[in-house]
Amino acid sequence: SAVISQKPSRDICQRGTSLTIQCQVDSQVTMMFWYRQQPGQSLTLIATANQGSEATYESGFVIDKFPISRPNLTFSTLTVSNMSPEDSSIYLCSVDLSGVYNEQFFGPGTRLTVL
Amino acid sequence: AQKITQTQPGMFVQEKEAVTLDCTYDTSDPSYGLFWYKQPSSGEMIFLIYQGSYDQQNATEGRYSLNFQKARKSANLVISASQLGDSAMYFCAMREDNYGQNFVFGPGTRLSVLP
């Protein structure tokens, strides 16, 4: 398994501002993932971040709105830019440790409220 | 088309009783994995159990078991001897080994355990 931390755990932001969410893993991982979970909804993959390359975004998500950095094998950031109330969600990072079941391990999430 | 279907938005179960949470999936990939995650109100995602498409036996992990019916494309989670701490959202997810290897999550089922 892995210990994954996210900062901040929650935040309340004003419309039009940006927030950067950090994800730290206690071991080196190749792939990190960012998900969005809107209120009462399931998880939707935003992008996959590999160290040393551009993030791969899923349909409906663009780099200008959700820029991602992956400077090393234990750290990644997701920025939510020019926020609107529709961006109010839980944002989760996860890692693929290629363990026994190839399950993904998730961070505790960042609860974002945009006013 | 939905790849993962969970037809029960909410379920109630009496403490110490067993409960089955339904999950059906859709894929043409012969190699895939099915996962169940629990999300308490705190927001973290907790991996519960895994079933591989080639596994001959149903997976079990403590009080959790997976009723895997491959021909019907169903992977129902069975929780035995429910506890109050089992109250949470439960998500079924699939990973297609040959089609991008990204996780796809179902809409979830909210389980409430009654004392």
Side-chain angles (χ1 to χ4, degrees), chain A residues 8-37:
Chain A
S9 58
R10 60 177 65 229
D11 207 341
I12 301 173
C13 300
Q14 295 297 320
R15 179 196 299 261
T17 62
S18 297
L19 176 72
T20 295
I21 303 168
Q22 300 178 6
C23 180
Q24 179 78 52
V25 189
D26 69 344
S27 57
Q28 294 184 341
V29 294
T30 303
M31 300 175 74
M32 296 181 75
F33 306 87
W34 287 99
Y35 289 85
R36 180 178 72 181
Q37 185 178 24

Side-chain angles (χ1 to χ4, degrees), chain B residues 26-48:
Chain B
D26 182 29
T27 181
S28 56
D29 191 338
S31 181
Y32 54 90
L34 297 159
F35 305 79
W36 278 91
Y37 283 84
K38 171 184 177 181
Q39 187 180 42
S41 57
S42 57
E44 62 191 303
M45 292 288 285
I46 302 168
F47 166 69
L48 296 177

